[in-house]
Amino acid sequence: MKRQIPTLITLVAGLFCLIGFFVPHPAIRTLYDDIQQWVIVIVGATYVLGVANLLRINLGQMSARARDWPFKVVLLVGLIGTTAIGFSEGTHYLDPTSRFTWIYNTFYSSMSSTMFSLLAFFIASAAFRAFRIRSFEALLLAIAAFILMIGRVPIGNAIHPAIPAAADWLMEVPQNAAKRGILIGAALGVVATGIRLILGMERTYGGRGAGGTS
Amino acid sequence: MSPGLSSLKQLDRRWIFLAVALLVVIPLAVGIHIAPVAPSPRTRGFYDAIEKVPSGSTVLLAGDYDPSTVAENYPMHLAAARHLMSRDVKIIGLALYPGGPPLTDQVLRLAAAEYGKKEGIDYVNLGYKAGNELVMSQMGSSIPRTFPVDRRGVPVDQIPVMHGVQNYANFPLLVSISAGYPGTKEWVQQVVSRYHLPMVAGVTAVSAPEYYPYLQTGQLRGLLGGMAGGAEYEVLVKHPALATRGMDAQSLAHVFIALMILLGNLAFLGEDRSRRR
Amino acid sequence: MVGTRFPGVLAASLLAALVATAVAVRAAAAFPLLAENTPNDRGQSVSLSWTSPTPPPARWILLRRQSGGAFAPIDTLEGTVHSFTDESEDKKGVQDGVAYQYQLLADPPNPALNSDVSSAATPGPEWVDTAKMNVLVVLLLFFAVLFYYINQAHRGVRWKFRTIPGLIAIEEAIGRATEMGKGVLYIPGVQDIDDIQTIASMIILANVARMTAKYETRLSVPTNAPAVYTVADEVVKSSYQDVGRADAYQTDMVRYVTTEQFAYVAAVNGMMLRERPAANLLLGAFFAESLLLAETGHSIGAIQIAGTANVHQMPFLVVACDYTLIGEEYFAASALLSNEALLLGSLKAADVVKLIMIVLILCGCLLMSFGHPLVAEWFATQ
Amino acid sequence: MHVSASPGVWIAALLTLGIFSFLYKDNPVYKFCEHLFVGVSAGYWVVLTYYSSIKPNLIDPLFGVPFAMDRHLLLVIPLVLSLFLFSRFFPRGDWLSRWSIAIILGVYPALRITGFAQGDLVQQIGGSILPFWVPGHPMTSLNNVLLVGGLLATLVFFFFSTEHKGAVGGIARVGVFFLMVSFGASYGYTVMARVSLLIGRVMFLLDTWLGVVRF
């Protein structure tokens, strides 16, 4: 009994939303909109659940004096402090002068942008240590990378306007052809996996994660 | 193989890190001007699409990025807000990235100060909403129902710029500033393909190649790719700022990395001839 | 009307005169005004379209009446506009099932520029959105092919698929690691267990674990999500049992390291530098960290085989690894290894649809070259 | 050179340098910054999600407004399903949270199927149907042939039902060449992206923190 109901919910909600896409009639579209509005709220709740999980795991590790537990304390202070200040300011939490916005600018914004900027260093060292041109395919990759890297910055245009032109052509024709092949292949994969998920044929292990930056 | 090249193999990568740091810090501190920024056709498409928006109409500006890609997305976002406001176009801003709302706030406030626009009358920040593509799909049915209040908690029916705004039919253009998921791809799939809303996008360089097929089919009318795209757009908007200033360091770093690839292959030339792919 | 100094009554009478002249001067050089029920919508909406005479007046006053009723102005439009949708969310707008007629009056008044009275249009909802027929047909075709082949596969039909060089490379790499008496490092990507790429990675891990069990090669699997740890540990344990080497299985083979992206990379790079595995298998969903892992793996001279569907990471993996499974090749590899009816049926169905697409695009282009864009038009959404 | 006086900028600058220390080697300072970042961002997410999604779309319409009778009453359903999610924390109640996840696993794939089918299948195939020769435009004709040829070759490479030998093998190899060019392009763009992010951080350190140069 516990196993069938979730599969039934997925089946009904999934098929209904699939049909709802093609039917503008209010008899269907009104409930279609309702279901999607509900899931917006439930997805919001899964984010809160995720953070609650993080809180539980770190509290456990801290009390059990697991490895690196002092750093877990830092994490918990950051988590509970930010949450408390945020809720204390009510709907003004994101006003330009609020303490929550100060935390956002000082801690979240600064560290988040620095984390990704580390990659500039690693790309340079990997270019030297791990960019082996040992086949014709790798050579093609390297040539395209050169044209793009030099063509997309002002220095390329200064050296010779043909470089940015070559970069544009390379992006609009060969790159487009291959990317479109990948897009179509991926689309077939998503549609196949999607319908298998809705019909309960796919084996899944858990809930849906949030978005992310590649 | 000459000893000089083989000793390169043991080069500690932290020397490379130091070189990258210097190549970025020096041009920024000194501000040398290596080469002018030349706008590309894609950037002109972005500019022209906004030029075609009738003044007085309202445009949707989605700032779907967070601080991790501020260096690439923020300059485009600010330049687009300035461009729209300079043409007296009202802006409805939102962000489907959790880290987005404060950035949308800063952009709209900064541009509004320069063009004398007032929050609520000329622009509004609807803030964040969980649900990724679901939010985009539901805005097609009803924006007031999906965003009952703006970022400040003010009900939208009390906000003048939101009067008469029901769904995508009210907008002549959608401007998407995007870093990943959810972003430009989802706006194209869920909105442009379904409601035929003209759209332009300013995206991070990592994701730019993926959107060229959309440019070719006309699903996207214009595309800004990375900081270079932002700089080209800043030149067209005649407001060179953040992105333009970074171009010198960008050029030098790219040349350096290209050299690293060449040097790397020379140094390891003999080494793995045996292990073909 | 613009706030004139005269009281409202004068403005109303001016308007009445306008309406009267419009009706009286029927035969003036008017232009047709098309009114129709807005297609593919939820009803309560009429779409108007017209080609205004040149030069168009400064503004249009739009009049509406229910059949038999009197015309009344409902909106003022810019002169340059040539289409309008009469709908409103609150109940005051046009109602379904009632016939309406429209007329455009030039403002400033100029009877010669007024439009004809439009034919009657009755708003109403539609059951099917005709603009999305091509999407429906494509989906139904794909579902039909998909379920046909999944059904065939369930009935035991097996098809011959091409060999995937990446899979052979994995076996060779494990064999080489065994000869050198070194270990194998298996990194299942950085997404949680609900990601399709992580599930595919678990299938490949099962096969890799069977090989390392047989050859008694050291295997370590660092994961970055608790859920992935529990599933991977289960997969490795049952693989060792399948091959009858339950004794060779150790609990520390699969480890949960941390969830944060860069901390995970630092920990895994540390493992590589300490344990010096002979084979690195990076199979799953990777983001910006694929570059760092592949670089360290390359620096310790390990044979590296990578596979992911995140195409934006392909450039780094192709240049740093000995072999890469590109996008769909990665999913095909896991389908072939799983030998599951569901995955093999889907793989075969995707191939058949790709074949149909290749033929379709070729015919479409040839027809287009001879001037018949019918295929392209059918695919272009209206 | 007028160094910034705001404590916020100083803390941000020190945290930035703390994270850059990872370049030298993984060290306690980096670990401190990293854990602080994970904690603060989690806290930010909870507050933001509550005020932006849960309060305006669930709490206010259901409880705030003087009990609107029409469709708002149905919001009891998402309220109950959201509460079910937290059953994971109770030893026996875990199966209840599967109901909430089940509706997500129904609605999202449906949206993906229609979105990908329309945006990435129908429109991309539509955009790939191009004339092989356009009278008077040799360059466009060549580009069209390469665009369609490259797409078909890539699709053949991702074709698994026949061995890559003979003609099919040749076409598949051409497909790989196109793929490699597109990977090279992605490599160039990714280099540009990562360098830009570093430029952004150095601009912060030089201008906002140290005030070396006002831009």
Side-chain angles (χ1 to χ4, degrees):
Chain A
M1 177 39 192
K2 287 181 187 154
R3 196 78 198 95
Q4 281 72 29
I5 289 194
T7 318
L8 194 64
I9 294 175
T10 301
L11 181 68
V12 169
L15 286 183
F16 186 80
C17 283
L18 211 50
I19 296 162
F21 176 80
F22 297 100
V23 177
H25 198 286
I28 302 281
R29 184 53 62 93
T30 314
L31 186 57
Y32 172 88
D33 289 340
D34 281 343
I35 292 177
Q36 290 198 344
Q37 289 285 340
W38 301 342
V39 173
I40 284 178
V41 170
I42 300 169
V43 165
T46 58
Y47 295 163
V48 175
L49 173 75
V51 173
N53 232 345
L54 185 73
L55 189 64
R56 185 168 57 94
I57 291 169
N58 281 284
L59 273 175
Q61 285 177 341
M62 186 185 73
S63 51
R65 294 292 183 280
R67 189 166 48 85
D68 283 344
W69 69 271
F71 294 112
K72 305 298 174 196
V73 173
V74 169
L75 187 146
L76 290 171
V77 166
L79 172 62
I80 294 163
T82 309
T83 311
I85 290 174
F87 281 120
S88 71
E89 288 177 320
T91 54
H92 298 291
Y93 72 111
L94 273 182
D95 287 352
T97 54
S98 77
R99 291 197 306 278
F100 192 74
T101 306
W102 185 82
I103 291 177
Y104 172 90
N105 290 326
T106 309
F107 295 96
Y108 180 74
S109 179
S110 61
M111 287 197 281
S112 164
S113 40
T114 309
M115 205 64 88
F116 268 79
S117 66
L118 286 176
L119 290 163
F121 296 102
F122 296 129
I123 264 199
S125 74
F128 173 70
R129 295 184 352 154
F131 194 121
R132 292 287 79 67
I133 301 176
R134 348 159 229 238
S135 65
F136 178 66
E137 287 90 348
L139 182 64
L140 275 179
L141 194 149
I143 294 167
F146 268 68
I147 294 176
L148 255 304
M149 268 196 291
I150 307 301
R152 274 292 173 268
V153 274
I155 210 166
N157 192 31
I159 297 169
H160 194 289
I163 300 177
D168 283 348
W169 179 82
L170 202 133
M171 287 304 285
E172 270 137 25
V173 182
Q175 196 269 153
N176 237 350
K179 270 296 188 302
R180 184 163 282 163
I182 293 170
L183 272 185
I184 289 176
L188 289 177
V190 166
V191 171
T193 317
I195 196 65
R196 292 197 314 246
L197 261 172
I198 290 176
L199 300 177
M201 300 158 77
E202 194 72 34
R203 59 174 165 180
T204 62
Y205 298 96
R208 234 205 82 60
T213 307
S214 51
Chain B
M1 206 178 34
S2 68
L5 275 182
S6 70
S7 66
L8 267 180
K9 280 198 281 184
Q10 281 72 34
L11 180 69
D12 182 336
R13 64 182 189 159
R14 282 181 286 231
W15 289 112
I16 299 175
F17 294 164
L18 187 63
V20 169
L22 293 176
L23 277 171
V24 169
V25 168
I26 294 167
L28 282 174
V30 170
I32 46 176
H33 204 60
I34 296 173
V37 172
S40 62
R42 293 169 313 288
T43 307
R44 202 165 289 285
F46 187 100
Y47 179 83
D48 294 342
I50 290 184
E51 282 290 306
K52 272 203 286 292
V53 172
S55 75
S57 57
T58 309
V59 158
L60 198 61
L61 176 60
D64 307 328
Y65 65 98
D66 65 14
S68 60
T69 55
V70 148
E72 293 185 274
N73 290 118
Y74 186 84
M76 305 172 187
H77 200 188
L78 183 57
R82 281 175 171 151
H83 189 186
L84 289 167
M85 286 187 176
S86 68
R87 302 193 63 257
D88 294 327
V89 174
K90 297 191 183 66
I91 296 177
I92 294 181
L94 71 148
L96 298 186
Y97 250 66
L103 296 167
T104 300
D105 244 34
Q106 279 169 30
V107 160
L108 293 177
R109 256 201 336 279
L110 214 61
E114 286 166 19
Y115 293 93
K117 301 291 179 185
K118 279 183 291 305
E119 177 155 23
I121 295 152
D122 301 306
Y123 70 90
V124 70
N125 178 7
L126 295 178
Y128 168 75
K129 191 70 66 184
N132 305 323
E133 300 104 309
L134 279 178
V135 182
M136 300 173 182
S137 164
Q138 272 308 292
M139 283 169 73
S141 299
S142 161
I143 292 178
R145 182 179 182 196
T146 312
F147 285 93
V149 294
D150 77 348
R151 195 270 307 153
R152 300 163 300 170
V154 172
V156 286
D157 45 36
Q158 297 165 10
I159 302 174
V161 73
M162 290 295 286
H163 286 162
V165 168
Q166 182 50 33
N167 51 37
Y168 294 119
N170 306 94
F171 302 117
L173 183 69
L174 161 65
V175 180
S176 153
I177 307 293
S178 153
Y181 169 82
T184 296
K185 185 181 183 64
E186 285 67 37
W187 282 110
V188 167
Q189 286 177 340
Q190 299 297 338
V191 176
V192 171
S193 306
R194 195 170 174 185
Y195 297 98
H196 313 308
L197 174 66
M199 174 177 169
V200 288
V203 300
T204 59
V206 176
S207 54
E210 260 175 82
Y211 302 136
Y212 269 76
Y214 295 138
L215 208 54
Q216 197 252 345
T217 57
Q219 290 163 292
L220 281 180
R221 307 270 171 100
L223 182 70
L224 304 181
M227 190 184 247
E232 289 167 20
Y233 183 51
E234 279 177 357
V235 164
L236 285 178
V237 176
K238 290 182 271 312
H239 220 111
L242 305 166
T244 314
R245 196 160 170 278
M247 278 302 110
D248 306 329
Q250 191 93 43
S251 296
L252 285 178
H254 282 211
V255 170
F256 175 71
I257 288 172
L259 283 178
M260 281 295 108
I261 296 175
L262 285 178
L263 218 59
N265 278 285
L266 289 177
F268 294 84
L269 206 55
E271 191 209 37
D272 45 19
R273 179 67 55 204
S274 57
R275 268 203 335 227
R276 302 226 21 89
R277 201 170 78 80
Chain C
M1 293 288 282
V2 175
T4 54
R5 276 179 290 100
F6 301 112
V9 65
L10 185 60
S13 58
L14 179 69
L15 201 60
L18 246 172
V19 168
T21 48
V23 173
V25 182
R26 280 215 62 46
F31 57 91
L33 169 59
L34 175 66
E36 58 171 356
N37 165 28
T38 310
N40 305 325
D41 75 336
R42 55 174 75 199
Q44 292 172 335
S45 162
V46 172
S47 297
L48 304 174
S49 55
W50 64 88
T51 44
S52 43
T54 48
R59 278 174 308 283
W60 293 109
I61 296 176
L62 180 60
L63 307 179
R64 178 179 71 200
R65 71 171 179 206
Q66 292 186 3
S67 54
F71 265 119
I74 53 166
D75 213 331
T76 312
L77 308 172
E78 288 297 319
T80 52
V81 168
H82 48 76
S83 69
F84 178 73
T85 309
D86 179 9
E87 65 181 4
S88 71
E89 201 43 40
D90 45 38
K91 294 293 167 275
K92 295 201 297 299
V94 289
Q95 296 309 312
D96 290 347
V98 176
Y100 294 94
Q101 284 182 306
Y102 294 83
Q103 188 176 20
L104 285 168
L105 297 188
D107 174 41
N110 174 352
L113 292 177
N114 295 347
S115 79
D116 282 349
V117 174
S118 74
S119 54
T122 313
E126 281 75 35
W127 278 96
V128 177
D129 184 341
T130 50
K132 301 197 170 45
M133 274 309 105
N134 46 19
V135 178
L136 188 62
V137 166
V138 165
L139 275 182
L140 292 181
L141 166 80
F142 183 58
F143 289 157
V145 171
L146 185 67
F147 296 130
Y148 170 75
Y149 280 103
I150 288 179
N151 200 310
Q152 290 280 75
H154 272 308
R155 286 216 300 276
V157 174
R158 284 297 175 271
W159 303 275
K160 211 184 71 47
F161 288 101
R162 74 172 166 92
T163 50
I164 298 199
L167 288 181
I168 301 165
I170 289 176
E171 279 169 44
E172 278 166 12
I174 295 175
R176 195 149 171 270
T178 319
E179 284 156 30
M180 297 161 67
K182 286 192 179 170
V184 170
L185 181 67
Y186 187 99
I187 303 170
V190 293
Q191 280 288 65
D192 209 332
I193 195 61
D194 67 320
D195 187 283
I196 190 79
Q197 294 179 67
T198 315
I199 296 172
S201 181
M202 289 302 117
I203 296 170
I204 299 176
L205 174 61
N207 280 274
V208 166
R210 267 194 283 277
M211 283 187 254
T212 54
K214 234 182 298 174
Y215 301 145
E216 283 178 21
T217 332
R218 221 162 6 94
L219 169 68
S220 50
V221 184
T223 72
N224 92 320
V228 177
Y229 164 74
T230 38
V231 172
D233 193 47
E234 190 46 45
V235 162
V236 169
K237 196 186 295 179
S238 55
S239 289
Y240 270 70
Q241 278 151 9
D242 291 352
V243 180
R245 296 307 313 278
D247 55 308
Y249 164 78
Q250 285 127 19
T251 53
D252 69 349
M253 278 184 178
V254 182
R255 265 170 300 180
Y256 165 57
V257 177
T258 170
T259 309
E260 212 282 323
Q261 188 174 15
F262 285 98
Y264 177 73
V265 164
V268 172
N269 282 349
M271 280 169 71
M272 278 192 219
L273 296 169
R274 275 193 310 278
E275 295 170 10
R276 292 218 165 257
N280 266 355
L281 305 178
L282 298 97
L283 298 157
F286 287 97
F287 292 92
E289 66 294 319
S290 64
L291 157 88
L292 284 79
L293 296 168
E295 183 203 0
T296 313
H298 188 276
S299 68
I300 62 167
I303 293 186
Q304 297 201 105
I305 294 146
T308 181
N310 291 359
V311 176
H312 45 75
Q313 294 309 316
M314 269 299 137
F316 307 101
L317 296 172
V318 164
V319 292
C321 298
D322 296 90
Y323 202 89
T324 44
L325 293 165
I326 300 171
E328 287 180 72
E329 241 186 335
Y330 170 69
F331 286 125
S334 74
L336 293 179
L337 284 176
S338 72
N339 201 18
E340 270 177 38
L342 188 72
L343 298 176
L344 289 174
S346 305
L347 183 61
K348 188 64 182 174
D351 265 11
V352 168
V353 169
K354 264 178 222 149
L355 203 58
I356 297 171
M357 266 191 233
I358 290 173
V359 169
L360 200 66
I361 290 174
L362 265 180
C363 299
C365 292
L366 287 174
L367 283 173
M368 186 77 128
S369 314
F370 289 100
H372 305 287
L374 50 95
V375 178
E377 271 157 13
W378 189 79
F379 271 102
T381 42
Q382 284 71 24
Chain D
M1 186 164 122
H2 27 79
V3 179
S4 146
S6 115
V9 170
W10 268 87
I11 298 173
L14 294 177
L15 291 172
T16 302
L17 297 176
I19 289 179
F20 276 146
S21 69
F22 179 77
L23 292 172
Y24 184 68
K25 72 177 176 49
D26 194 358
N27 57 71
V29 170
Y30 172 77
K31 272 198 163 59
F32 170 83
C33 297
E34 187 218 323
H35 280 79
L36 182 62
F37 171 60
V38 172
V40 167
S41 52
Y44 171 80
W45 260 35
V46 172
V47 176
L48 178 85
T49 305
Y50 176 74
Y51 282 116
S52 67
S53 303
I54 295 174
K55 181 172 182 301
N57 289 53
L58 177 70
I59 311 285
D60 285 350
L62 197 55
F63 303 112
V65 167
F67 219 64
M69 273 315 289
D70 56 19
R71 304 205 69 76
H72 290 307
L73 207 56
L74 290 174
L75 283 174
V76 171
I77 298 173
L79 173 69
V80 168
L81 286 175
S82 298
L83 294 177
F84 276 3
L85 275 175
F86 292 87
S87 68
R88 277 175 182 275
F89 290 119
F90 306 108
R92 274 183 308 87
D94 183 272
W95 57 277
L96 268 178
S97 71
R98 282 207 174 52
W99 291 30
S100 322
I101 290 166
I103 194 168
I104 295 176
L105 284 184
V107 169
Y108 263 96
L111 209 54
R112 286 260 161 72
I113 287 174
T114 49
F116 271 84
Q118 184 157 28
D120 281 16
L121 274 184
V122 167
Q123 292 207 301
Q124 292 305 320
I125 295 172
S128 313
I129 296 174
L130 305 163
F132 286 139
W133 56 85
V134 177
H137 298 280
M139 196 51 194
T140 321
S141 308
L142 174 69
N143 284 347
N144 286 356
V145 168
L146 280 174
L147 201 55
V148 174
L151 167 64
L152 298 183
T154 310
L155 285 177
V156 166
F157 173 75
F158 289 125
F159 193 72
F160 299 100
S161 298
T162 52
E163 244 3 286
H164 278 181
K165 282 205 284 299
V168 171
I171 297 172
R173 189 153 166 75
V174 167
V176 170
F177 296 159
F178 275 88
L179 282 168
M180 288 300 157
V181 166
S182 92
F183 293 154
S186 298
Y187 187 97
Y189 265 97
T190 307
V191 165
M192 188 162 97
R194 307 307 185 204
V195 169
S196 309
L197 300 182
L198 176 62
I199 290 171
R201 281 328 282 161
V202 170
M203 266 195 205
F204 164 77
L205 292 176
L206 289 181
D207 303 336
T208 321
W209 181 35
L210 299 177
V212 163
V213 165
R214 268 280 160 266
F215 66 89

